[in-house]
Amino acid sequence: MRKKIICLLAVLMAGVMALQSTVAAAHSSQDEQVGQLLERVAQYVKRLGAYSADFKVVAGDYSTRGRYDVSGDRYYIVLDQAEVYSDGHVRYEVNGERKEINVDEVDISSHNILDNPTRCFDFVGSDYVADIQRREAGRITIHLRSADSSVGGDIYLTIDSSSARPIRLEYHLYDDVIEVDILSLAALKGSVKTFAERAYSGYDMIDFR
């Protein structure tokens, strides 16, 4: 009887180890697949070179449309009565309603489309853990979260499964959700608009650097 029990335990242990190996292989395969998807997204945007994007933002009851232009590390965003300029080092946030300009350093680590659109679709080699959230109707949604557990928030990136074109971004932080639909992506015609203080005569400038 003791011998039979030992044999049975050996069979069970072999089954558990095989299952663990299968699960690990599945996770490894999914990690590789997600990595390939993120690479495809980054390459899609890279092929555009300098580009322009039209987008729609929804946050609770607030909804509006905007546009941004990107070339390298430089960008220009226009959203309602706000404009944001950046040369890759300094960020100028212009509030037309308050006639105020906030000046600050650029957070180059940010992937937020409203904060640093130069990296909003580039998560290759970043400090984010990614997994496939869902697949439906020719779309794939990728869930991204910081590898640093002290950093809150989740990002959901939806792409076209065929072309890898970015379609939608969602930013979740506690109960707050910001949804950004990418209405168009196209090569930029012309150059990125740069900040000129003389264009905002009478505006208060607040420097946070």
Side-chain angles (χ1 to χ4, degrees):
M1 176 63 73
R2 183 171 180 273
K3 186 175 181 181
K4 288 183 177 180
I5 292 174
I6 292 174
C7 290
L8 179 59
L9 287 173
V11 171
L12 288 174
M13 287 301 296
V16 169
M17 291 178 67
L19 179 60
Q20 289 176 334
S21 177
T22 300
V23 171
H27 285 169
S28 176
S29 176
Q30 177 168 292
D31 289 345
E32 182 178 353
Q33 187 178 30
V34 172
Q36 291 172 348
L37 286 172
L38 293 176
E39 180 66 38
R40 287 180 60 204
V41 175
Q43 287 302 316
Y44 179 96
V45 176
K46 185 177 181 180
R47 284 193 296 270
L48 293 173
Y51 76 95
S52 182
D54 291 302
F55 59 90
K56 178 183 178 182
V57 179
V58 176
D61 295 331
Y62 174 78
S63 177
T64 191
R65 292 193 178 196
R67 189 191 87 251
Y68 72 79
D69 301 329
V70 161
S71 179
D73 292 330
R74 295 182 296 114
Y75 64 82
Y76 169 71
I77 307 172
V78 58
L79 188 68
D80 283 344
Q81 296 188 54
E83 296 174 279
V84 183
Y85 301 81
S86 175
D87 59 6
H89 303 285
V90 180
R91 173 185 170 94
Y92 300 90
E93 186 172 333
V94 181
N95 187 311
E97 185 176 2
R98 294 200 304 263
K99 293 192 177 299
E100 182 178 280
I101 303 170
N102 292 332
V103 185
D104 207 345
E105 295 179 351
V106 174
D107 181 3
I108 60 174
S109 66
S110 174
H111 292 268
N112 189 308
I113 193 171
L114 301 177
D115 186 48
N116 184 24
T118 64
R119 299 189 65 200
C120 62
F121 302 122
D122 186 4
F123 293 93
V124 177
S126 65
D127 295 328
Y128 278 82
V129 177
D131 58 77
I132 296 175
Q133 179 74 9
R134 61 181 175 273
R135 297 173 183 267
E136 58 184 8
R139 297 184 175 191
I140 300 173
T141 297
I142 301 169
H143 173 215
L144 299 123
R145 62 190 180 280
S146 175
D148 184 348
S149 59
S150 67
V151 178
D154 297 89
I155 301 173
Y156 294 86
L157 169 63
T158 300
I159 64 173
D160 182 281
S161 57
S162 177
S163 66
R165 177 195 180 280
I167 296 173
R168 181 184 177 91
L169 281 162
E170 291 184 21
Y171 302 96
H172 293 235
L173 182 61
Y174 306 117
D175 294 331
D176 296 323
V177 178
I178 298 175
E179 303 169 348
V180 184
D181 289 315
I182 311 302
L183 305 177
S184 69
L185 284 172
L188 179 64
K189 297 178 180 178
S191 58
V192 174
K193 189 176 179 181
T194 58
F195 178 75
E197 187 174 348
R198 63 182 178 276
Y200 300 98
S201 176
Y203 280 59
D204 293 326
M205 186 171 290
I206 305 171
D207 198 327
F208 292 98
R209 291 175 294 174

